[in-house]
Amino acid sequence: MPELIEVCALDDLPPGAMRLVEWEDLEIGVFNCAGTVYAIEDRCSHDDGPLAEGEFDAEHCTVECPRHGSRFDLKTGKPMTLPAYVPVDTFPVIIEDETIKLEVE
Ligand code: FES
């Protein structure tokens, strides 16, 4: 069964903002792209770079890995540029009672 975890109030993650959450042994980056919230695993599929620390482009809804520069689509987790070529995990985001929640399993 998937589990729902609370991230924060929607107001606390305005458009253009990112925050990290931990769940079990996972770190997950939660990003607000112009009002829609997306969540991806904070670990680059190329060489485990800390993706959520990379440059977040809220307009194009991408993040650039700080290690070797692969750019990832936050909506799908797919890399758009090399050297990464394998998608990273994404997590369904649910907004309930003005609170951001993630579905994890
Ligand atoms: S670790 Fe992310 S591009 Fe290499």
Side-chain angles (χ1 to χ4, degrees):
M1 275 292 284
E3 191 179 319
L4 265 192
I5 56 170
E6 272 192 26
V7 177
C8 63
L10 188 54
D11 283 352
D12 290 339
L13 191 79
M18 182 286 291
R19 76 162 60 199
L20 267 181
V21 294
E22 285 183 26
W23 179 74
E24 296 196 342
D25 55 352
L26 283 183
E27 295 211 329
I28 301 170
V30 186
F31 299 78
N32 186 331
C33 296
T36 307
V37 179
Y38 298 98
I40 64 167
E41 186 176 359
D42 178 31
R43 190 175 58 155
C44 183
S45 58
H46 174 236
D47 194 22
D48 297 343
L51 261 190
E53 283 171 24
E55 196 170 319
F56 171 30
D57 180 340
E59 190 184 334
H60 297 102
C61 204
T62 60
V63 69
E64 187 175 312
C65 179
R67 288 199 60 193
H68 314 103
S70 276
R71 202 146 39 86
F72 286 80
D73 184 336
L74 292 168
K75 298 179 184 173
T76 61
K78 288 189 182 147
M80 303 162 77
T81 58
L82 293 170
Y85 57 90
V86 175
V88 294
D89 280 346
T90 59
F91 300 87
V93 176
I94 291 154
I95 311 289
E96 214 172 55
D97 302 328
E98 296 297 302
T99 302
I100 300 171
K101 299 178 183 178
L102 300 183
E103 206 175 285
V104 290
E105 62 182 318

